Amino acid sequence: MKVLVIGSGGREHTIAWRLAQSNLISEVICVPGNGGTAVEAKCRNVDPKENPELAKLSLNQVAVSVAKSEKVDFAVIGPEDPLADGIADALWDAGIPTVGPKSKGAALEASKDLSKVFMKKYGVACAASETFTQKDAALAYVRSKGAPIVVKADGLAAGKGVVVAKTLEEAEKAVEDLMDGSAVGEAGKKLVIEEYLQGVEISVLAAVSVTPESAANGKACIKAFLPARDHKRLLDGAKGPNTGGMGAVCPLSDVTSETMTAFDANILQPTLKGLIAEKMDYRGFIFFGLMITKDGPKALEYNVRLGDPETQAVLPMMDFDFAELCQAIMNGTLDSFEMKWKSGFQVAPVAVSGGYPLKYEKGKEITFAKQLIEKAGAKVFIAGAVKERRVNSPTLLTSGGRVLACSAHGSTFEEAWQKAYDAMAGVKFEGMFFRKDIGLPGAAESN
């Protein structure tokens, strides 16, 4: 089978790599892909910018056009923006089976307000919140509640629309910056303001197969993956500004079976109930951002796709065929699909460009000490890097803030951690920066 993967980040490189490992897959077509998918076995990039005919089309049209011309058997959508824009709807309408929710389901991430309404309606354990479209009312609310408090832009903001305000001054500034458009543009014109939850944060990714048909025959289901943890702060010790993610670890020694049982009962199953009740066509993945509080796990947010960089730590732990999982999601047999997981741990620190998450330079050459990386047994997943345009050039140049992740497995966390950082020592580019404490105690806690 041939498969189309939409996206250009580290998540998409990981998805393409995992699909290419399947004996069912002959080729993975990546649109637009990146420097990693350009050289990954069985993978090929199709960049619309380099094709005059495709360059004139919207991404939805590009996806349909490439899917048809390449005669792909199915598509997997990586990022949230295309899903919110209805790319899954367009592909299914064109007869292309697709892993990724249609736009109605994708709205659970595209609108924080809508997701909170959904959570409250179906009894999903979550933080108390209120929604505001007027700045004066939002300011009055945060002043009445005090700090700490969480201020969220309603719309998609590439991970930059959430402010955990430790002081009232920070909360007021967040309201001002978000609602006047200076922080995240139109995404901040509506705000969701939440109570601050004390605890430790984790991520649970899951496969979803829900349609009105599967709901009617009792086969609609959500199946959770192993819990993981992202590290959002730029600096060691969970200090510095928030980022898109500085690294991830999977699974988590501090998450008990009792916690996961409570997650299933109070978050996972109510979410499934809601997807069914709202008659959604949701065949894809869902990401639960959770806070483990003294009262049990509570949902912070839904993402309607795999997380980044969690994907770089979770997918290598799969001891099953990822392409077969995608087939089960699409054809409604997920309920009988058995997910097996490797023992041990996966650690994936991220290397970023100097200056990230603020201003940073691009076009820096990346060098790899391949023997060192291979000795560590690590896999490098490329995010913000592209191939140099010289014909057959093996050189990669930085093109984004988060450049790559070094993901390594070990029978113990300590072994996985050492291997990942041994591999990171084999990567070099001007201005390169990475955290040294991914997965260590306290590394993801921000007091």
Side-chain angles (χ1 to χ4, degrees):
M1 291 190 294
K2 289 175 73 172
V3 57
L4 173 68
V5 173
I6 300 293
S8 61
R11 165 184 48 225
E12 288 74 38
H13 184 189
T14 312
I15 290 170
W17 164 79
R18 206 69 176 98
L19 286 166
Q21 289 187 320
S22 171
N23 291 330
L24 299 175
I25 302 300
S26 59
E27 190 175 28
V28 182
I29 310 299
C30 303
V31 177
N34 62 29
T37 55
V39 297
E40 191 64 58
K42 293 165 63 173
C43 297
R44 173 162 56 91
N45 288 352
V46 175
D47 189 345
K49 294 178 182 177
E50 297 177 358
N51 183 313
E53 294 302 314
L54 295 178
K56 298 182 293 186
L57 305 178
S58 69
L59 182 56
N60 287 7
Q61 292 169 327
V62 167
V64 171
S65 176
V66 173
K68 287 185 172 181
S69 64
E70 296 285 352
K71 296 182 171 58
V72 305
D73 295 277
F74 67 96
V76 180
I77 314 303
E80 62 273 23
D81 287 337
L83 290 166
D85 290 340
I87 195 169
D89 308 65
L91 284 162
W92 278 107
D93 288 346
I96 311 298
T98 300
V99 179
K102 291 185 176 180
S103 56
K104 184 177 179 180
L108 288 174
E109 180 173 0
S111 170
K112 295 287 194 301
D113 177 44
L114 185 148
S115 70
K116 294 297 291 194
V117 170
F118 178 94
M119 289 179 190
K120 292 173 184 177
K121 182 176 181 179
Y122 294 104
V124 176
C126 62
S129 69
E130 295 290 340
T131 299
F132 298 90
T133 56
Q134 299 296 321
K135 183 167 65 174
D136 288 346
L139 288 170
Y141 183 78
V142 298
R143 288 164 185 158
S144 70
K145 293 294 182 181
I149 198 165
V150 182
V151 183
K152 296 182 176 181
D154 173 64
L156 295 174
K160 299 178 179 66
V162 179
V163 176
V164 181
K166 292 179 284 187
T167 66
L168 181 57
E169 291 74 18
E170 286 182 16
E172 291 173 334
K173 186 177 187 304
V175 171
E176 296 275 1
D177 291 348
L178 289 168
M179 297 199 88
D180 71 11
S182 65
V184 294
E186 291 298 314
K189 296 299 184 183
K190 181 189 289 187
L191 297 183
V192 173
I193 302 179
E194 289 184 347
E195 68 170 322
Y196 172 79
L197 296 177
Q198 183 72 41
V200 293
E201 199 169 340
I202 71 168
S203 307
V204 179
L205 315 182
V208 186
S209 186
V210 175
T211 63
E213 293 75 22
S214 65
N217 63 27
K219 289 185 172 294
C221 73
I222 301 179
K223 287 197 171 182
F225 297 167
L226 295 175
R229 177 170 288 125
D230 184 12
H231 297 65
K232 286 292 187 187
R233 298 284 183 170
L234 179 69
L235 305 175
D236 286 5
K239 294 180 171 61
N242 264 328
T243 71
M246 294 298 294
V249 59
C250 174
L252 304 174
S253 299
D254 60 328
V255 175
T256 65
S257 59
E258 289 79 11
T259 293
M260 294 306 293
T261 298
F263 161 72
D264 183 79
N266 300 325
I267 296 172
L268 193 73
Q269 295 307 319
T271 298
L272 175 61
K273 177 183 174 183
L275 296 179
I276 293 170
E278 297 292 331
K279 295 182 170 56
M280 290 189 186
D281 185 339
Y282 197 123
R283 284 173 280 182
F285 302 106
I286 194 165
F287 166 124
F288 297 88
L290 306 176
M291 187 67 78
I292 309 304
T293 73
K294 60 181 177 57
D295 300 317
K298 292 194 177 183
L300 299 173
E301 64 178 354
Y302 293 125
N303 290 168
V304 297
R305 33 71 187 185
L306 293 174
D308 192 343
E310 290 94 339
T311 298
Q312 291 89 303
V314 175
L315 264 60
M317 290 293 296
M318 290 178 169
D319 200 15
F320 56 85
D321 190 312
F322 186 61
E324 289 183 3
L325 173 67
C326 291
Q327 292 285 304
I329 287 168
M330 292 182 292
N331 64 28
T333 60
L334 180 63
D335 64 317
S336 58
F337 186 87
E338 186 177 3
M339 294 193 297
K340 294 181 179 179
W341 300 91
K342 297 175 183 176
S343 59
F345 294 81
Q346 198 82 18
V347 176
V350 170
V352 303
S353 297
Y356 175 81
L358 302 175
K359 187 177 180 180
Y360 54 86
E361 294 182 357
K362 301 178 182 180
K364 305 300 183 182
E365 182 178 344
I366 309 170
T367 61
F368 300 94
K370 291 185 178 180
Q371 286 186 326
L372 193 59
I373 296 168
E374 289 172 2
K375 183 180 179 182
K379 174 66 179 177
V380 177
F381 293 116
I382 299 299
V386 295
K387 279 192 72 178
E388 191 177 46
R389 291 192 177 277
R390 285 183 298 148
V391 177
N392 297 324
S393 171
T395 303
L396 289 181
L397 303 176
T398 64
S399 63
R402 289 189 296 162
V403 177
L404 56 84
C406 288
S407 185
H409 181 266
S411 57
T412 64
F413 166 78
E414 290 77 14
E415 181 187 359
W417 188 92
Q418 190 63 57
K419 286 181 174 180
Y421 280 98
D422 285 349
M424 191 66 89
V427 179
K428 297 285 187 293
F429 58 88
E430 184 183 335
M432 174 177 163
F433 175 80
F434 58 93
R435 283 183 57 169
K436 316 300 190 295
D437 64 343
I438 298 302
L440 298 181
E445 296 176 29
S446 184
N447 295 321

